[in-house]
């Protein structure tokens, strides 16, 4: 549907809606791999993100009272926390981790599910992911799910009741960019829930491409945290997400084999 100029420039009128809640930012960011919590805070602030994902098995949210607490620098009153099951290789581990997150965050039910199948590629184990999603959804969780770029699997996860489907662009932490844009486009075109690229983004142009393909958002961590200047990269990613979304809504010109003059020659005087 075509959008007005004001809509394109105003995220209030073009929100990302996940599990019934609207967000102005379409960039979701991770909180790991930074040198300290102060850098984490500054990068997240520069990104403009409203949803921050946190690895429950690796991050202190109060379970270790004598260690720095992420909630002290990124308060839950300001950000929506998205606990994830990073590092889980089985259905049981993933489900247990989500239930722990719900206890630590006072009944919080929005989670990012990932069940890995291989420690080298970090590709998802799809049968285990499907099994974990089914259990968590029945248990009242709102599941955003990390998966491969298979359109059939994405459709299955949506039909099960996942509130967002998050296909990888490339292996986690690889920075290779979107390796198969056609599959991402197939997933987007068929979906009725938000589709967010998760994993593989390396720089701002990768994020813009994801948005130009029609994705509803992008989740990233390493692309920002591993940059030489994470805070500056976070700012760049914010702008790339916004530009890519506007370009998608605007509708790009059709590709054509030959050139076309900017000023048509028809009707001119010589």
């Amino acid at each position: 549907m075509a959008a007005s100029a004001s809509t394109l420039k105003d995220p209030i009128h073009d929100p990302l809606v996940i599990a019934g809640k609207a967000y102005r930012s379409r960039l979701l960011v991770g909180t790991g791999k930074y040198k300290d919590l102060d850098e984490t805070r500054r990068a997240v602030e520069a990104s403009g993100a409203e949803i921050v994902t946190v690895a429950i098995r690796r991050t202190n949210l109060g379970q270790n009272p004598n260690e720095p607490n992420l909630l002290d620098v990124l308060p839950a009153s300001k950000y929506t926390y998205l606990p994830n099951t990073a590092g889980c290789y089985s259905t049981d581990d993933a489900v247990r981790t989500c239930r722990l997150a719900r206890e630590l965050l006072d009944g919080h039910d929005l989670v990012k599910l990932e069940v890995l199948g291989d420690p080298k590629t970090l590709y998802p184990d799809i049968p285990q992911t499907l099994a974990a999603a089914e259990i968590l959804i029945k248990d009242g969780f709102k599941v955003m799910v990390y998966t491969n770029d298979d359109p059939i699997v994405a459709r299955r996860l949506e039909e099960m009741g996942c509130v967002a489907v998050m296909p990888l662009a490339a292996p986690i932490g690889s920075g290779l960019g979107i390796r198969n844009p056609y599959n991402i486009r197939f997933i987007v075109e068929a979906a009725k829930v938000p589709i967010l690229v998760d994993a593989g983004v390396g720089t701002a142009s990768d994020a813009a491409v994801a948005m130009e393909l029609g994705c509803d958002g992008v989740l990233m961590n390493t692309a920002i945290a591993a940059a030489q200047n994470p805070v500056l990269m976070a700012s760049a990613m914010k702008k790339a997400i916004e530009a890519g979304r506007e370009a998608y809504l605007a509708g790009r010109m059709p590709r054509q084999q030959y050139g076309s003059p900017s000023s048509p020659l028809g009707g001119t005087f010589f």
Side-chain angles (χ1 to χ4, degrees), residues 166-185:
M166 309 173 73
L168 56 80
I172 294 173
S174 67
L176 291 173
I178 298 176
R179 296 293 84 199
N180 194 340
Y182 300 102
N183 274 20
I184 299 295
R185 175 63 67 81

Side-chain angles (χ1 to χ4, degrees), residues 14-23 25-26 163-164 193-194 196 216:
D14 181 35
L16 169 63
V17 180
I18 296 178
K21 184 174 180 179
Y23 301 90
S25 175
R26 292 175 176 271
V163 300
V193 298
L196 298 90
D216 296 282

Side-chain angles (χ1 to χ4, degrees), residues 18 52 54 56 58 63 79 92 122 179 191-192 213 256:
I18 296 178
V52 294
V54 55
I56 292 297
R58 302 169 184 165
Q63 64 268 46
Y79 298 97
D92 289 344
L122 301 180
R179 296 293 84 199
K192 294 182 177 64
L213 288 170
Q256 48 194 15

Side-chain angles (χ1 to χ4, degrees), residues 35 43 75 102 118 138 157 196 199 223 239 259:
K35 66 180 181 181
R102 185 162 59 184
D118 174 65
K138 288 181 178 178
L157 289 164
L196 298 90
K239 298 179 180 73

